[in-house]
């Protein structure tokens, strides 16, 4: 099917989109939850390393799929082509609720928290700050696509500069004995525990976005060559930055303070590295970095719903665009759901829900490399997955281990995720019926 969309995005924007979507709430918040549950600094670093390896293996598989099928829509297009249109539709529905609305809400909450920390005051409710950010990003990306892309690139470069400065400054404050952990909390015992597998849900959420360029594949110039590069370089860059950041967090601040910090772990570490005033400044920069995250999510998610609107008559309104802008109705639908979650759900609930549910659909998509090669061996593949089948199987094994433990340890999160899938199935039946009449 020929691409009906203009190919706006080059390699730089595609790489930066992956980086901007990945580096967000998770890296500045989840280490506190991991320290609380694991109690071992080496185990926490191992979790971040495994998460990065999984994301890298997943990006290798996604690169093959999106290079062969370069159309907007991400898992909606891929799963619908590989398995069945029903599964693709459910993936699109889940992306709306879990893949984008929930992370936008979580990022907006964290933005409000870090903004207050930067201002040294709790007078501005985080929910209000988050609402302003979501609405502003939605206006920008729905009205003027070119301006939204430039602003997105700018904030992503600022975010990268922030992280590099944080790592370089933190190197002088690290205490090696903290990174080594305590004998009372041996690494092997922590890594083999159910808490470690469940902790990978938080890690999975933090790495969410390694497949971001797949959602705008139809708008990337020369996608067969550039998309694999964007996915892999973006993921590798973020993995290295995450390991550096968490080494600074764990080496600079006492473990009990990190465990009690919850989503404010970045601020706690910054206080120990740069002092109270420096901590406030870094919190302000983290807040600015989260602006990039929300912008990337607002930009990429609606391309899925736009693709669904092109396929189903009952949803055609999702494909409408303002001249020179993005799919505005899809953007505002996504933002409306994000605002609803922002005012009703807790931060930890949002990241658990998103991390678990998205891991299931990412695993189904990566497994599609096996299915599509068997079903369509003659399909033109500009790129083939490096290390396949070992890298592909490694990703699937890690996701399976995490999901099985999550079912036992977080049944409520699993139940809500299953309910979301069920709602997606009902929506598919209604949308399909409209196409048949």
């Amino acid at each position: 099917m020929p691409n009906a969309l203009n190919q706006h995005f080059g390699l730089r924007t595609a790489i930066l989109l992956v980086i901007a979507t990945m580096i967000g709430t998770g890296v500045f918040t989840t280490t506190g939850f991991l320290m609380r549950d694991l109690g071992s600094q080496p185990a926490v670093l191992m979790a971040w390393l495994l998460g990065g390896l999984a994301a890298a293996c997943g990006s290798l598989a996604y690169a093959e799929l999106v290079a062969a099928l370069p159309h907007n829509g991400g898992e909606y297009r891929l799963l619908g082509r590989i398995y069945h249109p029903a599964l693709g539709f459910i993936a699109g529905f889940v992306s709306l609720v879990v893949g984008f609305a929930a992370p936008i809400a979580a990022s907006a909450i964290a933005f409000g928290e870090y903004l207050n920390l930067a201002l040294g005051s709790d007078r501005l409710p985080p929910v209000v700050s988050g609402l302003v950010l979501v609405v502003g990003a939605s206006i920008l990306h729905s009205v003027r696509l070119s301006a939204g892309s430039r602003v997105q690139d700018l904030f992503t470069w600022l975010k990268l500069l922030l992280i590099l400065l944080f790592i370089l400054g933190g190197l002088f404050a690290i205490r090696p004995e903290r990174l080594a952990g305590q004998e009372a909390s041996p690494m092997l015992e922590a890594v083999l525990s159910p808490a470690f597998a469940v902790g990978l849900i938080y890690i999975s959420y933090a790495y969410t976005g390694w497949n971001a360029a797949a959602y705008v594949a139809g708008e990337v110039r020369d996608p067969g060559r550039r998309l694999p590069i964007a996915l892999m370089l973006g993921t590798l860059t973020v993995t290295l930055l995450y390991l550096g950041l968490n080494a600074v967090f764990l080496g600079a601040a006492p473990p009990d303070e990190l465990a009690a910090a919850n989503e404010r772990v970045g601020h706690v570490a910054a206080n120990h590295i740069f002092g109270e005033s420096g901590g406030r400044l870094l919190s302000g920069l983290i807040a600015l970095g989260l602006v990039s995250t929300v912008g990337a999510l607002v930009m990429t998610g609606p391309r899925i719903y736009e693709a669904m609107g092109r396929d189903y008559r009952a949803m055609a309104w999702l494909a409408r665009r303002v001249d020179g802008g993005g799919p505005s109705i899809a953007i505002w639908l996504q933002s409306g759901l994000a605002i609803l979650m922002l005012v009703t759900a807790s931060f930890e609930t949002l990241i658990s829900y998103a991390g678990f549910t998205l891991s299931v659909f990412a695993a189904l998509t990566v497994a599609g490399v096996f299915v599509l090669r068997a079903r369509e061996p003659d399909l033109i593949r500009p790129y083939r997955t490096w290390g396949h089948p070992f890298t592909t199987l490694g990703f699937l094994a890690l996701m399976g281990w995490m999901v099985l433990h999550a079912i036992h340890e977080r049944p409520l999160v699993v139940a809500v995720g299953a309910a979301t899938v069920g709602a997606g199935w009902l929506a598919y039946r209604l949308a399909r019926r409209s196409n048949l009449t």
Side-chain angles (χ1 to χ4, degrees), residues 312-343:
Y312 295 92
R313 285 203 302 267
M315 304 172 66
W317 46 278
L318 289 173
R320 295 174 189 164
R321 286 192 176 217
V322 177
D323 290 341
S328 56
I329 296 178
I331 287 173
W332 285 107
L333 172 64
Q334 173 181 270
S335 297
L337 287 172
I339 289 170
L340 179 63
M341 294 180 186
L342 175 62
V343 299

Side-chain angles (χ1 to χ4, degrees), residues 392-414:
T392 312
L393 289 173
F395 178 89
L396 295 174
L398 189 60
M399 292 299 103
W401 180 51
M402 184 187 76
V403 167
L404 287 175
H405 279 288
I407 291 172
H408 183 263
E409 300 290 331
R410 296 284 193 277
L412 182 59
V413 169
V414 174

Side-chain angles (χ1 to χ4, degrees), residues 84 86-87 89-90 93 419-431:
H84 190 277
L87 186 57
F89 187 98
I90 293 170
F93 184 88
T420 305
V421 171
W425 167 252
L426 291 176
Y428 167 73
R429 296 298 298 270
L430 293 173

Side-chain angles (χ1 to χ4, degrees), residues 41-419:
Q41 293 93 324
V44 171
L45 281 177
M46 178 59 70
W48 283 102
L49 177 60
L50 280 178
L53 291 175
C57 291
S59 70
L60 292 173
Y62 264 68
E64 174 176 327
L65 296 174
V66 298
L69 307 170
H71 303 289
N72 277 12
E75 287 88 355
Y76 164 66
R77 288 291 189 201
L78 296 175
L79 294 178
R81 170 73 175 268
I82 296 168
Y83 298 103
H84 190 277
L87 186 57
F89 187 98
I90 293 170
F93 184 88
V94 167
S95 292
L96 168 61
V97 180
V98 186
F100 291 91
I104 287 172
S107 298
I109 291 172
F111 168 79
E113 292 282 357
Y114 274 102
L115 184 61
N116 273 343
L117 292 169
L119 297 174
S121 170
D122 291 329
R123 286 177 294 182
L124 188 61
V127 170
V128 174
S129 305
L131 285 172
V132 172
L133 175 59
V134 173
V135 171
S138 301
I139 292 173
L140 180 65
H141 286 287
S142 62
V143 173
R144 195 68 186 170
L145 185 64
S146 58
S149 178
R150 287 194 296 271
V151 171
Q152 188 61 40
D153 286 358
L154 173 62
F155 273 98
T156 302
W157 283 116
L158 289 174
K159 182 190 293 187
L160 288 173
L161 180 61
L162 155 69
I163 291 175
L164 289 172
L165 289 175
F166 196 101
I167 293 173
L168 291 174
L171 290 176
F172 299 99
I174 287 178
R175 292 173 56 178
E177 65 273 16
R178 285 178 176 161
L179 287 176
Q182 303 173 356
E183 293 184 4
S185 302
M187 174 180 168
L188 184 60
E189 180 181 325
V191 168
L192 296 178
S193 68
F196 184 87
V198 174
L200 288 175
I201 293 176
Y202 300 126
I203 298 291
S204 178
Y205 170 80
Y207 276 104
T208 297
W210 50 264
N211 54 352
Y215 297 116
V216 295
E219 295 174 76
V220 174
R221 294 189 293 273
D222 191 10
R225 183 177 67 88
R226 295 181 178 182
L227 279 174
I229 296 173
L231 288 164
M232 289 182 285
L233 283 184
T235 302
L236 178 61
T237 300
V238 172
T239 300
L240 294 175
L241 291 174
Y242 275 11
L243 288 173
L245 264 179
N246 280 281
V248 171
F249 289 163
L250 296 168
D256 56 337
E257 290 188 31
L258 293 176
N262 293 326
E263 65 265 28
R264 301 185 176 197
V265 64
H267 178 75
V268 169
N271 277 348
H272 280 275
I273 298 169
F274 303 106
E276 185 176 348
S277 59
R280 288 176 58 182
L281 174 61
L282 262 294
S283 293
L285 293 175
I286 290 171
L288 286 177
L290 291 170
V291 172
S292 169
T293 301
V294 171
L297 293 168
V298 168
M299 176 191 289
T300 52
R303 271 63 183 182
I304 302 172
Y305 332 134
E306 180 185 29
M308 295 170 74
R310 294 178 185 277
D311 293 341
Y312 295 92
R313 285 203 302 267
M315 304 172 66
W317 46 278
L318 289 173
R320 295 174 189 164
R321 286 192 176 217
V322 177
D323 290 341
S328 56
I329 296 178
I331 287 173
W332 285 107
L333 172 64
Q334 173 181 270
S335 297
L337 287 172
I339 289 170
L340 179 63
M341 294 180 186
L342 175 62
V343 299
T344 59
S346 71
F347 178 83
E348 188 173 1
T349 299
L350 285 170
I351 64 173
S352 298
Y353 171 50
F356 169 79
T357 311
L358 294 178
S359 295
V360 172
F361 281 90
L364 287 171
T365 307
V366 169
V369 172
F370 290 103
V371 178
L372 197 63
R373 285 192 182 188
R375 183 175 295 167
E376 301 185 45
D378 297 327
L379 179 69
I380 296 175
R381 293 173 171 82
Y383 159 84
R384 297 177 73 87
T385 304
W386 296 344
H388 181 81
F390 304 107
T391 53
T392 312
L393 289 173
F395 178 89
L396 295 174
L398 189 60
M399 292 299 103
W401 180 51
M402 184 187 76
V403 167
L404 287 175
H405 279 288
I407 291 172
H408 183 263
E409 300 290 331
R410 296 284 193 277
L412 182 59
V413 169
V414 174
V416 175

